[in-house]
Amino acid sequence: MFRHLREDIDSVFSRDPAARNVLEVLTNYPGLHALMAHRLGHWLWRRNLKWLARTLSTLARWMTGIEIHPGAKIGRRFFIDHGMGVVIGETTEVGDDVTLYQGVTLGGTSWNKGKRHPTLEDGVIVGAGAKILGPFSVGAGAKIGSNAVVTKEVPAGATVVGIPGKIVKQAEPDSPAPDIDPAHREAIRQKFGFDAYGVTQDMPDPVARSMQAMFDHMHAVDGRIEQMCKTLRQLDASYRGGQLPQLREEDFEGIFDDDDSPCAPVESPKQR
């Protein structure tokens, strides 16, 4: 039971700058207390002393606010920071060097027996309040943002945020980002009369990234139409392309005023 205690204590020092000495960690870190109780409970569970294991788990929950089912498999150097409200289900599997923050749930979505809870591979970090629900894997080195709700597999090295959880960053993207000419963007901004690019390409906001993709597509379609009209005028001097409806600033009033919006606020002509 105490074989990995030294490693568990060292993991606290490596991941919490507030830790000052061993005595403080041993006496004042509920995450470590819950882990110690779980290691004993898991030992009892494997020897079919299930009632005793569950009772120990319940006592640890009363003392620490952390509920770890004794059937869960926990790796080495596991660290729960703060810990209150953490719930780890029976068939959960946690690798080495995993970090959880308060309010995390590693739960299931089925009442059927068998594998119901997630598997966290080595080096995963799960932010406060996140919920990972279901019998799938979260790849090594992945990061789950605070309050995210994850219900499907996460590849290694990815970052997931939002409800439902969306991948906003991968260590090795499947496809390169589109090459958008900044000068063309500026020309469209001047034409439309407002700036829809108050975000960067790597902005960790799925809504912002979706809006960027839609506007980039609009830019490409606009350029294609201009080229078609130019070709038609060359073929037929009498051809006249109709004017596209203008986008007015008043059409967008109130949309970009919120500071939480992924786009920059609309500027008046005087401000420009």
Side-chain angles (χ1 to χ4, degrees), residues 17-34:
R20 296 181 298 177
N21 54 64
V22 173
L23 178 61
E24 182 179 70
V25 171
L26 281 173
T27 56
N28 294 292
Y29 275 71
L32 180 62
H33 302 158

Side-chain angles (χ1 to χ4, degrees), residues 17 21 65 74 86 88 118 146 151 159 189 207 211 216 224 230 240 245 247:
N21 54 64
I74 306 293
V86 168
I88 300 177
S146 296
T151 57
T159 299
R189 187 194 73 80
V207 176
M211 291 183 65
D216 289 338
R224 186 78 56 91
K230 181 178 178 181
R240 293 184 180 181
L247 294 177

Side-chain angles (χ1 to χ4, degrees), residues 165-177:
K166 297 181 177 64
I167 297 174
V168 296
K169 181 180 178 181
Q170 286 187 248
E172 296 181 358
D174 295 332
S175 58

Side-chain angles (χ1 to χ4, degrees), residues 211-247:
M211 291 183 65
Q212 275 195 333
M214 288 190 294
F215 273 92
D216 289 338
H217 182 76
M218 290 170 60
H219 296 176
V221 171
D222 186 71
R224 186 78 56 91
I225 292 174
E226 291 287 349
Q227 184 63 36
M228 291 170 61
C229 291
K230 181 178 178 181
T231 302
L232 288 171
R233 283 193 293 269
Q234 291 175 347
L235 295 173
D236 185 357
S238 64
Y239 172 78
R240 293 184 180 181
Q243 293 293 327
L244 294 174
Q246 295 295 319
L247 294 177

